[in-house]
Every structure is written in C-alpha cells, then in structure tokens.
Amino acid sequence: MLDIESAPGAPQLQHQASHPDQREGSYNGMHDEEKHAHEKAAYADEAEEEEDSPFEMVRASVSNKDDPDLPCLTFRSWVLGIIFAVGLAFVNQFYWFRENSIVLNGYVVQLLSFPLGYIMALVLPKRKFRTFGWEWTLNPGPFNIKEHVIISIFAGTSAATTYGIDVVTIKRMWYKTDMGFGPSILFILTSQIMGYSFAGFSRRFLVYPAAMIWPTNLISVALFRTFHEFQNLGGKFTRTQIFWMCFAGSFLWYFIPGVIFPTLSFLAILCFIAPNNIYANQLGDAFNGVGMLNFTLDWSYISSAYTLSPIAIPWVYACNVFAGFVIIMWIATPIGYYKNTFGTQNMPMYTATLYQTNGSVFDINQVMTPEKTLDPASYDSYGPLRMTYTFAMTYGLGFAGLLNLLTYVALYYGKDIVQRVRQARTMDEDIHMKLMRKYREVPLWWYAATFLITFVLSIVTCQVYHLMPWYWVIVATIIPFIFTIPIGIVQALSNQQPGLNVITEFIIGYGRAGDPIANVTFKVYGYITMAQALVLVSDQKLGHYMKIPPRHLFMAQLVGTIICSFVQLGVAFWLMSTIDNICTEEGYPWTCIQANTFFSASVIWGLVGPGRMFGSDSPYHVALYLFILGLLLPIPFWFYSKKFPNSWVKHIHTPLFFIASGYMPPAPSHVYTNWFIACFFFNYLWHKYRNKQWTRYAFSLSAGLDCGLAISGIITYFIFMKVTIPDWWGTNIHHCPLAASGIQQARASSSSS
C-alpha cells in the first residue's frame, strides 16, 4: 500500500508535528547519570569539524553526532524487543481473522518501550557477569536512544501479518488441504527471510548513498529524538499519561459496541429510515452496500487495518483518499450496478463473494479435480465465473493505480530521481556514512548464505508439499532480483512503492492456468519477498540514521522475523482449530474477510485464470483498459500546477485516489467515511486550532486508543467465549437485510409476497 504519511509535501507537516527542536519535558525521575550520558552524546564530537547532510530535510531531523560508546543490543533491548515482537504478532494476527481488523504498529512500541526502558534502568542490578570470557550486565546504565531504536526495529517485524498465512488459511478453510504446522512454518520462514538477502545485496545502492533519503524514516527519527533530547514544552500531562488515559477509556468503551450494543458499530441511517426499501438498504449497508450515512462509535472501524489511524495522515492527503473513495464507491459503483453492467444486478452490490451467472454462489468443488486444479470440462458445463461490478472494477483500478503511480513519480520526481541516482554514484560519503564506518559491517556472505539456505528450502517446500513446481520458484525469485533496486530507488526518494502483485498474478496465471495454490504461492515468493526486502532496507536506513551497529540490526531483524512467524502461525492454527464456523458469516465476528478476498483472488487468477476472466471474449475485458485512465490522469494536474503553482490543484495527488480501491472489498464500506470524519476532527480542527497540543499528544492519543481497543477485544473474547449474550435490537449488526441479495432477487421476492 502507498505510504501516505510522506506523500509530496508531507515532510513539512510532519516536521511541524514532531520536530526534534520541540522536545518533551524531562521524564520524571531522570537522575544525574542520565543527564551526564545525554551531555556526553551531545558533545562527543564537539572538537570535530562541523559537517552535515547535503539534504535539508535530513539535516532538519537527523543528528550529525554519534556516541559509539552507547550500548545498543543490551539485555533490556532483548527483553523488551522479544516482548513487543510477541505481543504485536499475537494481536495483529488475532484481529486479522475478525471482521473489524486492526493493526498495532511501530508507534505503539516507540511509546511504550520508552518508560519501560527507563524503569528497567532504575530497578535492574548493575552487577557484571562473565560468560565464556564475555563480560555483560543486566543494566549497562541509562536507557538510551539506540536501545529504543533497536527495540522498535525488533518489534516492527510484527507490525503486519505475514502474507504467507493467507495461503495457509485458504488451503485449510476453502481448499480443504491442511498443510500442517511444520510445512507451513517452512513456507512462511523461507518467504519472509529470503527478503534479507535482497536487502543485503541492495544496501550499497539503497542505504549507503546520502541521496537515498527514505523520507518516512525522518518522522521516526524525529519522534525518537523528542523522547531522548529533553526540553520542556509545557503542558499539564506527559505523553505517557495521555497514553494510559486513552488506553483506559478505549479499553472500557469497547465492551459497549463489542459486546453489549454492537449496533453502535453500524449506525445505518438510511436503513433505519426506510428498512423495506431496497435502494436505501443497498446504499446504506456497510457489508453489502456502499455505506452512505453509515456511522460508527466503534474505534476498530475508525482506526482499522484498512485505513490505519486517522491521526497518521495529514489532512490534505486524507481529502485525496476520501475523494477517491467517493468517486469509486458512491458514484461509479451505483451507476454501474443500476445499469446492470456485467449482469451484476442478480448479486449484492458489494462483496468479494464469487457467483454464477444466475446469482448463485460459485462452488469451486464443482469445477476442480481431486488435485485441486481446474477441470475445464466441468467448468464449461457448470457455467462461467462472475463477480460483482465493484470487485471487477477494483481489478481494473489496480492496473490503473500502478500505471498512475509510475506516471506521477516520473512527472513529479523524475528529475530528482535522475539527479539523486547520479549523486549516489558520484557524491562523496556524507557525515552519516562516515560515522557508520566505526561499526563492523555485515559481511556479504551472511546475506549470500541466507539466500542460499532459504532458496533451497523454498524449492524443497514447494515441490514436496505440492505448492508449485520447483522451476516456478526460480522464476519467482528472478522478479525481486530485477525489481528490488529500481523500485527501492523510487520508494527511497518519493516514499511510494509500485506494487507488483498484479504482474505476478498475470505471469503465473497464464504460465500455470488452473492451479490456484501455485498462483498464490508464486505471488508470495515473487512479490512479497521484494516488499519484505524493502521493509528491511527501510529499517536499515533508519539504523543508518540512528547509528545502530549493522550487525546488531541484522540480528534484531532476523530474530524478530522468526519470532513473528512462529507466533502468528500459532495464533492462526489455534483460532482455526477452536472457533466454530470461523471464516463464515455464521462465525461473526470471525469472518476472515481478508482471507475471503484472498481466496476469491486465487479463484479468479489461479483456478479460472486471467485468460478466461479477462480475455477478449470476457465481459470483464474492458476493465483492463482502465490502465489508460491511470496513465493519463496525473498529466493535466501536473501541467496546471506548473502553470499555477499556488493554486489548490497542487494539493491533488492522484495516486492517493486509488488507495481505497485496493481494499474495496474486503473492507466494510463505511470505514473510510468514519475515518475521514475522525481525520477532520483530529488533523484539521485540532491540528489547526490547538497545534502545540496536537504536536505533544496526537500520537500518544492514537496509540492509547489502539492499544486499549486491542487488549479489550482479546479479553472480551476469552470472557464471553462460553457466554450467550441476550438477543435484542442492539445486538443486531445487519439492519439492512435487503442488501444481502441482488436487486433482481429482492424485487422478485417482494412481488411474490
């Protein structure tokens, strides 16, 4: 997904929010030893000639000083890193299976690890131990910024769910071929860790050069420095106090919409006004409609896995994202549906479910062989696969979004990219690279060994457990070899990453038509490996800015990834084995809507294949031509902003228009509306009229609300697992029942009654 925090123009906004010169007041209880350590870090290189980055935005955020004596990979950082890695992996995977998915990200770790590190520095004994000649201690002194950074990087490996678990889930729940834990963990580990090798091979192009800025890391750097470089900003409460107050409020409140009064999650105004009107139901429903006037008092549908926190995006970019949502969902979808485009009126207006031409749900078992591949004769007799207008359009918009991003980056960043690439080749080492020379680099053979081991295990896993033939693993591996560096350069300069998932689906869809498991497996190794590599490269650049020893960083990333893989797969197996009707509508809230969409994609691109679904004789063929729209859309806005640089058009960023379409489906259609309303209050009104307060508390408030919700959801699950809640109007979340079927069926049933 496009990182909208640092879209063009964003750095000014975000530096205003968390500039290193605006520091928080001294942490309560900071003793003289800590002050001495900070003074030592500040003046360690005072005698050296003043030197800084050649780029202003880097100079504004990143310190040009380093204290190589600061401990980094300490007992404290190991303990807190493992705790947060396990915690985030558990919570994020737990909620991935739910209708209302949420994600706890790195901001939570940054905030919570800070006071915990200081507490450990106060209470742990300072006694030194000697083990096999190596001297170590539980408490090397004051908790410092390098420990803080490496804890966040350690735990950041769990900030997203592992993509390979999608494959494990659909194989078990839809294709009824359980891999078992052993083969599953091999598959996940190889697909995750292979990215390390590509990250290591590309570091001299994407990490070392000063011209490779990676703008989103500058926000993290600024936040770390606000915690550790103390200066009083005033204010009644500390960030930590605000976090715990918001945590408590969010924790207690979720019992209301989560258990007692679930209707508060879906306040469908149109359906309340006209419950028997099919149009009001389809336009107002969040599950099978477009979510107009559908509001929520449930934070899990405001700060969801699809939108993330409304505080994490500047207001002007939220407007771009919401404008794209309105155009796609509130204008194009109703027009296409009510015109019966693609014969879609015998299906719900909005869903990822697949259908036959008569509106019946498509049963894959009717067209598959015992080996779970397509039987062409059965498919021809059973009937062609059909999907809703919205679902078909989002695939066309996927092509459009990819080409739009390429055009946009070329127009707005083309000259910068060419210039920075030249600078990366010719520019002398900047101060940060010089400071990093003090630390031992990770040898290239570590990355080569990582690649060799994971590559061989990938071939064995795919071949032995019938995921895909071994030679397709080789083809899949070539894709990240080719694209990691060029796409990494684009992301390092523009903070925008073109997605290759559509390309991988096309390659394997034509190359191995009729094999859905091979399709999704190829996508994992071909696309996700590259995406994982760029996440790791971004973390390496953060470590570069913060002067983290590269070997410590490598170890933290590797161990964190392994922990994340085991924990998330364990949670997935536990939930799939213990929850009745999981991944079905009857199992609400455990509907697995993200896995359901992934399954539908495996049928479209794998089982049936792009040739049948988007070929010249398919009704969906025209959707592919939306790439022309994506290719041309940025051009008029670019020309206009060049001619009138101070006009409002300069705030239009066309790649953001396609953000929502990437999650529609599976996201409930009201999440973007409620997220946008929250953005208006938090990032427009609060940011504009109480800017100092916003600067001090915004991220603490967001993290507190997210954490309180996450813990409350887990506790309510265990408390009410065997408890039956009395059924009343407020426990019903489906107040738009007519939206669950197509308009043709609804009319037929109403006329017969």
Side-chain angles (χ1 to χ4, degrees):
M1 178 177 170
L2 189 66
D3 193 320
I4 43 188
E5 284 191 69
S6 295
Q12 293 85 351
L13 252 172
Q14 286 152 342
H15 292 161
Q16 183 180 5
S18 54
H19 194 279
D21 289 337
Q22 298 174 327
R23 327 266 201 235
E24 182 167 6
S26 177
Y27 188 86
N28 294 334
M30 187 180 76
H31 43 71
D32 292 339
E33 187 179 358
E34 296 173 38
K35 293 181 179 179
H36 174 72
H38 287 290
E39 290 171 1
K40 179 182 177 183
Y43 298 108
D45 298 318
E46 188 176 37
E48 294 184 4
E49 181 183 356
E50 188 69 22
E51 184 180 355
D52 213 331
S53 170
F55 301 102
E56 181 181 4
M57 61 192 306
V58 177
R59 292 196 299 270
S61 296
V62 184
S63 172
N64 62 342
K65 301 285 192 269
D66 177 40
D67 181 0
D69 294 328
L70 283 180
C72 181
L73 200 59
T74 63
F75 175 80
R76 293 186 300 237
S77 57
W78 274 111
V79 171
L80 293 178
I82 291 173
I83 289 174
F84 282 112
V86 171
L88 261 65
F90 181 91
V91 170
N92 290 336
Q93 190 62 58
F94 182 88
Y95 277 92
W96 180 83
F97 284 92
R98 292 170 63 97
E99 183 86 22
N100 52 336
S101 302
I102 63 170
V103 172
L104 295 185
N105 55 31
Y107 292 129
V108 173
V109 180
Q110 278 183 285
L111 187 70
L112 290 181
S113 61
F114 179 67
L116 291 175
Y118 268 92
I119 292 172
M120 292 182 75
L122 291 173
V123 302
L124 286 176
K126 296 184 178 181
R127 177 187 170 190
K128 294 184 178 181
F129 303 89
R130 183 172 292 276
T131 305
F132 301 114
W134 177 54
E135 188 176 86
W136 61 281
T137 177
L138 299 178
N139 189 350
F143 183 66
N144 66 75
I145 193 170
K146 292 191 179 185
E147 290 178 287
H148 198 179
V149 172
I150 206 163
I151 290 168
S152 297
I153 291 175
F154 201 127
T157 57
S158 302
T161 53
T162 304
Y163 203 76
I165 291 180
D166 291 66
V167 179
V168 174
T169 302
I170 67 169
K171 273 181 64 65
R172 177 169 175 170
M173 304 308 299
W174 279 275
Y175 291 101
K176 309 301 180 184
T177 54
D178 187 5
M179 291 175 62
F181 192 89
S184 298
I185 196 64
L186 270 177
F187 170 60
I188 289 169
L189 285 174
T190 53
S191 61
Q192 289 289 100
I193 297 177
M194 190 183 289
Y196 283 88
S197 54
F198 296 109
F201 296 151
S202 59
R203 58 190 166 163
R204 65 182 296 262
F205 303 100
L206 301 179
V207 177
Y208 299 160
M212 300 294 109
I213 291 175
W214 294 88
T216 195
N217 280 329
L218 301 181
I219 301 135
S220 296
V221 171
L223 283 173
F224 281 119
R225 294 183 68 189
T226 61
F227 283 113
H228 292 269
E229 299 175 13
F230 301 98
Q231 178 178 317
N232 198 338
L233 272 180
K236 187 175 181 181
F237 302 104
T238 66
R239 285 188 178 100
T240 305
Q241 289 171 328
I242 289 294
F243 170 85
W244 287 113
M245 286 189 285
C246 293
F247 177 96
S250 179
F251 177 88
L252 295 173
W253 171 250
Y254 185 68
F255 281 85
I256 306 299
V259 178
I260 301 170
F261 201 169
T263 288
L264 295 178
S265 299
F266 302 92
L267 298 172
I269 305 301
L270 292 179
C271 299
F272 295 156
I273 295 172
N276 298 317
N277 185 293
I278 180 62
Y279 298 103
N281 275 241
Q282 289 183 323
L283 296 177
D285 188 37
F287 294 105
N288 298 116
V290 295
M292 290 182 181
L293 296 181
N294 195 314
F295 304 107
T296 186
L297 296 177
D298 184 345
W299 182 252
S300 68
Y301 287 104
I302 297 172
S303 179
S304 69
Y306 313 106
T307 59
L308 302 182
S309 172
I311 297 175
I313 177 173
W315 167 245
V316 67
Y317 305 112
C319 292
N320 279 262
V321 173
F322 188 65
F325 168 81
V326 169
I327 294 169
I328 295 166
M329 290 299 293
W330 288 0
I331 298 175
T333 292
I335 291 174
Y337 184 82
Y338 291 123
K339 284 185 172 292
N340 200 28
T341 307
F342 309 143
T344 195
Q345 285 191 354
N346 57 5
M347 312 170 201
M349 180 178 284
Y350 175 70
T351 180
T353 303
L354 303 175
Y355 296 90
Q356 294 179 268
T357 53
N358 62 5
S360 302
V361 174
F362 192 88
D363 183 2
I364 61 172
N365 296 305
Q366 300 297 320
V367 300
M368 284 196 306
T369 67
E371 292 75 30
K372 306 301 179 183
T373 57
L374 182 70
D375 183 341
S378 299
Y379 179 79
D380 291 339
S381 63
Y382 185 68
L385 177 69
R386 292 291 178 259
M387 53 184 161
T388 63
Y389 172 79
T390 312
F391 203 7
M393 186 173 62
T394 56
Y395 277 120
L397 290 172
F399 292 105
L402 176 60
L403 290 173
N404 179 273
L405 182 57
L406 295 175
T407 304
Y408 181 86
V409 168
L411 291 173
Y412 287 85
Y413 293 99
K415 291 183 179 179
D416 284 342
I417 289 175
V418 172
Q419 180 182 357
R420 298 280 175 81
V421 169
R422 289 174 177 169
Q423 289 173 337
R425 296 168 57 188
T426 60
M427 184 181 290
D428 293 334
E429 290 183 350
D430 70 341
I431 182 62
H432 303 295
M433 189 65 213
K434 292 177 181 178
L435 291 172
M436 287 299 292
R437 291 295 184 192
K438 300 175 183 177
Y439 305 103
R440 297 170 66 194
E441 187 55 85
V442 177
L444 190 61
W445 72 265
W446 286 19
Y447 293 109
T450 301
F451 172 76
L452 184 62
I453 293 170
T454 54
F455 180 67
V456 171
L457 287 176
S458 298
I459 289 178
V460 172
T461 302
C462 291
Q463 186 70 37
V464 172
Y465 298 106
H466 310 295
L467 296 175
M468 66 179 178
W470 62 269
Y471 46 86
W472 281 108
V473 178
I474 298 175
V475 176
T477 307
I478 292 173
I479 294 175
F481 257 122
I482 295 173
F483 287 103
T484 297
I485 291 177
I487 289 182
I489 290 173
V490 171
Q491 186 175 350
L493 300 179
S494 68
N495 221 39
Q496 304 185 43
Q497 182 188 118
L500 297 180
N501 54 319
V502 175
I503 296 175
T504 57
E505 286 171 329
F506 251 104
I507 292 173
I508 192 66
Y510 278 105
R512 193 164 177 82
D515 190 341
I517 301 303
N519 187 278
V520 292
T521 303
F522 184 88
K523 182 163 63 172
V524 168
Y525 283 111
Y527 166 55
I528 298 304
T529 298
M530 186 209 71
Q532 174 78 348
L534 293 180
V535 169
L536 298 170
V537 167
S538 178
D539 281 347
Q540 288 179 2
K541 190 67 178 186
L542 175 61
H544 188 84
Y545 283 145
M546 302 304 297
K547 316 304 178 292
I548 305 298
R551 296 190 178 199
H552 292 181
L553 182 64
F554 178 88
M555 195 174 301
Q557 288 182 314
L558 184 61
V559 174
T561 300
I562 293 172
I563 290 173
C564 171
S565 299
F566 274 94
V567 172
Q568 290 190 342
L569 185 63
V571 171
F573 268 73
W574 165 56
L575 293 177
M576 288 189 288
S577 301
T578 57
I579 296 177
D580 295 333
N581 300 315
I582 190 171
C583 298
T584 65
E585 290 296 325
E586 293 76 20
Y588 180 88
W590 305 96
T591 54
C592 312
I593 59 174
Q594 295 190 64
N596 184 51
T597 303
F598 191 80
F599 159 72
S600 295
S602 75
V603 175
I604 293 168
W605 295 96
L607 183 63
V608 178
R612 289 183 175 88
M613 288 303 300
F614 297 102
S616 57
D617 57 346
S618 168
Y620 306 116
H621 181 70
V622 297
L624 300 183
Y625 291 101
L626 283 173
F627 81 88
I628 299 175
L629 169 67
L631 187 68
L632 300 179
L633 185 61
I635 297 175
F637 296 107
W638 180 76
F639 274 117
Y640 192 90
S641 61
K642 282 290 184 181
K643 188 172 183 179
F644 304 102
N646 295 321
S647 72
W648 61 273
V649 175
K650 68 182 180 181
H651 298 300
I652 294 178
H653 306 287
T654 56
L656 302 181
F657 291 171
F658 298 91
I659 289 290
S661 67
Y663 293 102
M664 308 299 294
S669 55
H670 73 326
V671 297
Y672 279 95
T673 305
N674 291 279
W675 169 82
F676 182 71
I677 293 171
C679 282
F680 174 74
F681 282 103
F682 288 128
N683 281 1
Y684 179 74
L685 296 179
W686 190 23
H687 182 274
K688 182 176 181 179
Y689 296 107
R690 294 289 187 272
N691 185 260
K692 287 185 178 180
Q693 198 179 72
W694 187 97
T695 298
R696 185 176 176 86
Y697 298 132
F699 287 104
S700 298
L701 180 143
S702 176
L705 293 176
D706 286 347
C707 287
L709 163 69
I711 302 304
S712 182
I714 294 170
I715 290 177
T716 55
Y717 167 71
F718 286 107
I719 291 177
F720 297 98
M721 187 164 47
K722 302 298 182 182
V723 177
T724 301
I725 304 298
D727 190 20
W728 67 292
W729 178 84
T731 59
N732 181 20
I733 60 171
H734 295 285
H735 292 283
C736 308
L738 297 180
S741 59
I743 192 170
Q744 292 181 355
Q745 288 93 329
R747 287 171 177 168
S749 60
S750 62
S751 61
S752 62
S753 60

